[in-house]
Amino acid sequence: MYLFTSESVSAGHPDKCADIIADTIVDRLLELDPKARVATEVFISGKHIVIGGEVRTDIDIGEGFYRLCAIDALSAIGYPEIGFDESQTLYPDATDIRVLVSKQSPDISIGVDREGGEIGAGDQGMMIGFATDETPTLMPAALEYARKIRDALYAHALEHPDRFGVDIKTQVTIDYGTKENFDANRPRAIRKIVAAVPHAAHLDIEEARIIVKGIILETLENDPLFDEEICEFFIDGTGRYVNHSPLADSGTTGRKIVADTYGAYAPVGGGAQSSKDYTKVDRSGLYAARWLARHIVAAGLAKKAIVELAYVIGHAKPLSVNVDTMGTALTSLKDEELSEKIAERFPLTPAWITERFGLDSPSETTFLYADIAARGQVGYPDYPWEKLDKLAWFEGLKR
């Protein structure tokens, strides 16, 4: 066997709570002021929430704005669950919220805000895009299954708050058989599934495990990689999982960047996405890099690809564009040639990326950053950066 494992967490996980609060702030500020500059960090421990960071906006907002964002975000996540009391889960209205948000340094805006609408990168660093033909979404298999199971369990918890909580964690181990199969994107079977789902104290642990396993079996029914006879299940491994939410484990913005991106199948970039506006290339650069990698694989140029973009604060164009098809190229086009052609064809500036994906105008009808924080930064077809809208150009590179 050659095994690889990825994990995923639901919106109710304490780290995700922090991400979602931070991105609710981003959503609401950009809806009020599309030119707002936002970098707010959130820390949650017990019933205490600290919101810090920097914001620049022409809108007059006070501490009440941030407090309302936090309470609304936690309520939307699914807290409180009616099967749990205030000693077992977080009640949004019972939280103690401290706001420590300051104005963004004017030194940053010197390089970021340009005449003519151009935007200099709001930070420096490298961003990673990745795609693989292992799954229809061009995401790696273990992470795709961990998310699929997570989504099913989270939906059930929302429907049955008297029995299950929303602080859920899943983990899937894929057997590739050999390292060669792993390198060639040939998963063989799902070997191990881990699920942690909070259960109400009145629900017997064995009954809870039966329900959770049943949801997993239904989710994976008829899947060619799943065989119940050879798969090991680990459900609520300690034998009791009643106390949960930030009452049981603190949460911090940006602590789930591996689960948010590629599940450790590929490197991660220089920083997290949540809490930041579109000028921060940790966010916009990641989306562009994933868009490029997805096109490379979808166009049949390679079976998998890593795209690295590097930026420096105050400059619009990336310092470098690097493509690595990881030995899976399907044409004679060399990686360095592909890198050069992409850099020549696409500006990849923050302004270009923002306009292409509508990053300055989150809304209920397009996308909300808080929703992306809850599900994952890449890999869902409804995200603008998952659209294959330049496929013909990439296909034209085949030779």
Side-chain angles (χ1 to χ4, degrees):
M1 289 191 292
Y2 187 87
L3 306 177
F4 195 93
T5 302
S6 292
E7 71 163 5
S8 185
V9 298
S10 74
H13 186 280
D15 290 330
K16 283 287 106 191
C17 289
D19 286 341
I20 294 166
I21 291 171
D23 276 342
T24 298
I25 293 169
V26 175
D27 284 329
R28 293 187 179 181
L29 278 173
L30 290 179
E31 286 170 0
L32 294 169
D33 177 9
K35 295 186 180 298
R37 301 291 181 255
V38 192
T40 51
E41 309 296 336
V42 177
F43 171 64
I44 310 178
S45 180
K47 298 180 180 181
H48 304 282
I49 300 174
V50 178
I51 302 173
E54 305 80 42
V55 166
R56 195 194 79 200
T57 178
D58 293 331
I59 304 298
D60 184 20
I61 56 174
E63 291 189 3
F65 170 85
Y66 297 100
R67 290 194 175 95
L68 185 61
C69 285
I71 293 171
D72 287 351
L74 292 170
S75 298
I77 287 168
Y79 291 115
E81 308 100 334
I82 62 176
F84 304 84
D85 63 37
E86 289 191 50
S87 69
Q88 298 165 339
T89 191
L90 186 66
Y91 277 57
D93 290 335
T95 52
D96 170 37
I97 303 172
R98 188 174 184 190
V99 179
L100 301 173
V101 178
S102 59
K103 291 184 178 180
Q104 185 191 69
S105 167
D107 295 348
I108 295 175
S109 62
I110 291 173
V112 173
D113 299 318
R114 305 285 192 82
E115 292 183 4
E118 189 53 85
I119 301 171
D123 207 343
Q124 60 197 42
M126 63 288 177
M127 292 76 222
I128 302 294
F130 177 70
T132 169
D133 67 1
E134 285 187 356
T135 65
T137 59
L138 305 186
M139 290 290 285
L143 180 62
E144 184 79 350
Y145 282 108
R147 286 180 171 183
K148 189 174 183 179
I149 294 168
R150 173 205 69 186
D151 291 344
L153 294 172
Y154 179 57
H156 186 84
L158 291 175
E159 292 171 1
H160 303 278
D162 58 321
R163 294 191 293 179
F164 293 103
V166 294
D167 180 0
I168 297 167
K169 202 168 188 177
T170 59
Q171 188 170 292
V172 171
T173 300
I174 298 288
D175 182 8
Y176 287 84
T178 65
K179 177 64 162 58
E180 290 72 21
N181 284 338
F182 177 79
D183 292 338
N185 302 350
R186 292 195 291 263
R188 295 299 181 87
I190 299 172
R191 284 287 181 176
K192 304 174 194 294
I193 295 174
V194 179
V197 185
H199 61 93
H202 65 77
L203 186 65
D204 179 76
I205 181 60
E206 292 307 322
E207 183 182 355
R209 285 170 170 164
I210 290 171
I211 295 170
V212 169
K213 185 176 180 179
I215 295 167
I216 296 171
L217 294 178
E218 183 179 353
T219 302
L220 299 179
E221 187 177 12
N222 300 322
D223 191 288
L225 292 187
F226 179 69
D227 181 352
E228 185 182 356
E229 297 301 316
I230 65 169
C231 183
E232 288 185 81
F233 290 82
F234 304 85
I235 299 171
D236 288 353
T238 68
R240 176 182 166 87
Y241 183 21
V242 174
N243 299 296
H244 63 288
S245 81
L247 295 188
D249 183 17
S250 63
T252 304
T253 310
R255 206 157 58 180
K256 285 292 179 283
I257 58 175
V258 173
D260 271 349
T261 51
Y262 312 111
Y265 277 82
V268 294
Q273 292 71 52
S274 287
S275 84
K276 299 167 184 174
D277 69 77
Y278 53 88
T279 66
K280 296 291 193 293
V281 283
D282 286 326
R283 187 188 284 280
S284 52
L286 170 81
Y287 299 160
R290 164 63 180 174
W291 181 81
L292 291 168
R294 185 166 158 77
H295 273 84
I296 290 167
V297 174
L301 297 174
K303 290 179 65 63
K304 56 185 169 184
I306 290 175
V307 176
E308 183 198 64
L309 304 178
Y311 293 86
V312 62
I313 191 167
H315 292 258
K317 292 279 289 185
L319 297 180
S320 64
V321 178
N322 179 269
V323 176
D324 179 2
T325 57
M326 307 171 76
T328 69
L330 299 173
T331 77
S332 61
L333 187 68
K334 294 181 179 180
D335 288 353
E336 55 267 34
E337 294 177 289
L338 181 54
S339 302
E340 291 171 2
K341 288 181 181 295
I342 288 173
E344 291 169 0
R345 176 64 178 82
F346 303 107
L348 299 173
T349 64
W352 183 88
I353 299 168
T354 297
E355 182 178 0
R356 178 155 215 92
F357 303 138
L359 300 185
D360 58 348
S361 52
S363 70
E364 293 283 355
T365 57
T366 55
F367 68 89
L368 291 172
Y369 288 120
D371 176 60
I372 291 162
R375 294 196 284 169
Q377 296 291 329
V378 294
Y380 286 89
D382 55 311
Y383 295 175
W385 43 95
E386 297 290 318
K387 307 298 183 188
L388 296 171
D389 49 355
K390 288 294 180 181
L391 194 58
W393 183 84
F394 282 86
E395 290 175 336
L397 299 177
K398 291 180 181 179
R399 68 183 191 200

